[in-house]
Amino acid sequence: MFRYFVAQTAPTTDKMPAETGTDIERAALLLKAGKLVAIPTETVYGLAADGLNEQAVLSIFKAKNRPDFDPLILHVSGREAAFSLAEYVPVKARLLADAFWPGPLTLVLPKKAHVPFVVTSGLDTVGLRVPNHPLTLSLLKQLDFPLAAPSANPFGYVSPTTAQHVLDNLGDKTDYILDGGPCTLGIESTIIGFENDEPVLLRKGSLKKSDIEKITGPLKEKINVSGNPKAPGQLAAHYSPKRKIVITEPENIGLLQTLPRPVTLLTFGNLFHAWENRVDRVLNLSSEGNLAEAARTFYGLLREADQGPESLIVTGYLPAGEMAEVINDRLQRAAFPFKNTSHE
Ligand code: TXA
Ligand code: MG
């Protein structure tokens, strides 16, 4: 098992921190010149560059300190633009595109020859997505190339859901940050690949599996095979704050006496109610116990837990619900290898 440790905040270059704003023309000019622009989407912020310009794409990997085996998603303004990058489009891919684009769905399809292998990490397939954000959609409409964009965080660190998050970690490595406000969904897109024309779930995300199955029928899953080159983003350790996270159950309150202080509790609704007065700081993903709100606040609160006086982060898996499963998947990777209870 391995874990990436990435320098996060201190600027190491003499480059000035990127400007943040809503100037689409400026963003378009920079992108045409091969520069890096952070873009808002409904899921998380992306670090974008011209997806057909190899040098520009390489600079994304460099800025993020991302290993070259982890392929990027290409973002486009609509279904025709997306499918023009694919050699072949299965019927069920078309149905999914009709149902969910623009939206939090990435389709992995056989790539056309002109899609550079730096984007796909040498794979013959490419991830394609039409993001649902007005600023980014109008930006994409001004460009005659797709935008390669991974989440705009240093590799392995917590994903960004505001322009400020991007500025905090990649401000000195980005040429402009397009500020589209806080992301409305807060968790990455759901990724679907195809085997013999049948859809396969490669990454759980904001689009619910049950909604996909209404269109496709039962979905096979191929998730979390660490080191599997077909799903290289699915590493056991990912989305991690610098501080140690302990995952436990609310009943296990005795644990608290054994832990070094201070302790930050990352909770959900009333899940850890009995703990709240006995810890040093409480961050609640959703005091109403709303899973959509928890998805939206999740990465921001992980970042908050990572700031202020050095503290251990204690949390637990969210109770039943499809989005709970998706958030728990991220939580497990964020905590790896520190989790102290198993989770199915
Ligand atoms: O919501 C999202 O998907 C965000 C926003 C910015 O669109 N993007 C995002 O990108 O999460 P990133 O780079 O953090 O994760 C992309 C993941 C890769 O790690 C990999 O697992 C998968 O997409 N992927 C991309 N191309 C693939 C391919 N050809 N085959 C299999 N998996 C692929
Ligand atoms: Mg990411």
Side-chain angles (χ1 to χ4, degrees), residues 88-106:
Y88 166 71
V89 185
V91 174
K92 286 187 179 174
R94 288 184 195 280
L95 294 176
L96 287 172
D98 286 344
F100 300 117
W101 278 349
L105 167 71
T106 295

Side-chain angles (χ1 to χ4, degrees), residues 15-344:
K15 199 165 160 180
M16 295 291 286
E19 246 183 77
T20 297
T22 55
D23 188 346
I24 294 176
E25 276 68 35
R26 180 165 170 194
L29 278 175
L30 287 164
L31 289 162
K32 286 175 193 168
K35 305 284 189 194
L36 294 181
V37 173
I39 55 167
T41 82
E42 77 281 35
T43 58
V44 300
Y45 273 71
L47 184 64
D50 177 349
L52 302 181
N53 174 337
E54 293 194 12
Q55 284 310 315
V57 173
L58 283 172
S59 67
I60 298 178
F61 282 90
K62 191 159 171 252
K64 276 188 60 112
N65 200 8
R66 181 176 174 114
D68 60 9
F69 60 78
D70 195 2
L72 307 181
I73 297 170
L74 290 181
H75 297 70
V76 287
S77 64
R79 171 195 144 106
E80 285 69 33
F83 292 157
S84 74
L85 298 161
E87 190 58 49
Y88 166 71
V89 185
V91 174
K92 286 187 179 174
R94 288 184 195 280
L95 294 176
L96 287 172
D98 286 344
F100 300 117
W101 278 349
L105 167 71
T106 295
L107 296 176
V108 174
L109 299 175
K111 77 172 193 73
K112 274 261 172 70
H114 70 286
V115 174
F117 281 115
V118 281
V119 171
T120 67
S121 298
L123 298 174
D124 292 324
T125 53
V126 60
L128 301 168
R129 171 161 122 80
V130 181
N132 190 12
H133 191 289
L135 267 189
T136 293
L137 280 176
S138 30
L139 171 65
L140 286 165
K141 283 180 189 139
Q142 291 193 20
L143 303 172
D144 59 2
F145 50 80
L147 288 180
S151 51
N153 51 290
F155 183 73
Y157 193 60
V158 182
S159 302
T161 52
T162 65
Q164 184 64 47
H165 292 162
V166 182
L167 191 64
D168 288 347
N169 298 135
L170 293 178
D172 60 326
K173 304 210 168 66
T174 308
D175 294 289
Y176 187 62
I177 301 172
L178 200 53
D179 187 352
C183 299
T184 52
L185 299 177
I187 296 280
E188 289 85 352
S189 63
T190 302
I191 304 184
I192 299 286
F194 292 84
E195 283 178 3
N196 303 319
D197 287 1
E198 284 304 311
V200 178
L201 182 62
L202 298 179
R203 178 177 76 183
K204 292 183 186 181
S206 275
L207 181 61
K208 289 187 190 138
K209 187 181 173 203
S210 63
D211 287 334
I212 295 173
E213 287 180 325
K214 281 178 202 150
I215 309 278
T216 61
L219 257 187
K220 215 163 109 183
E221 288 191 17
K222 276 211 170 166
I223 295 170
N224 194 15
V225 192
S226 197
N228 172 1
K230 283 229 154 168
Q234 296 296 299
L235 300 169
H238 217 73
Y239 316 107
S240 311
K242 285 173 280 181
R243 293 177 177 171
K244 182 171 167 174
I245 300 184
V246 174
I247 298 181
T248 186
E249 278 102 36
E251 302 74 48
N252 197 14
I253 193 161
L255 177 73
L256 206 44
Q257 286 150 12
T258 70
L259 295 176
R261 293 290 179 145
V263 163
T264 294
L265 176 71
L266 180 65
T267 184
F268 171 76
N270 289 324
L271 196 58
F272 282 86
H273 189 68
W275 295 54
E276 288 182 13
N277 290 329
R278 301 174 56 182
V279 297
D280 305 282
R281 178 166 63 153
V282 179
L283 301 173
N284 202 324
L285 293 164
S286 166
S287 10
E288 258 104 77
N290 177 311
L291 285 171
E293 184 182 14
R296 209 158 43 238
T297 58
F298 180 66
Y299 288 133
L301 288 185
L302 271 186
R303 282 167 178 265
E304 207 172 315
D306 223 12
Q307 284 155 12
E310 181 66 34
S311 171
L312 190 67
I313 305 166
V314 176
T315 189
Y317 290 115
L318 309 195
E322 248 188 294
M323 266 326 279
E325 233 185 89
V326 179
I327 299 168
N328 288 341
D329 166 86
R330 302 301 193 273
L331 194 54
Q332 187 171 24
R333 293 174 209 275
F336 184 90
F338 300 122
K339 72 185 163 72
N340 73 340
T341 59
S342 67
H343 172 68
E344 290 305 320

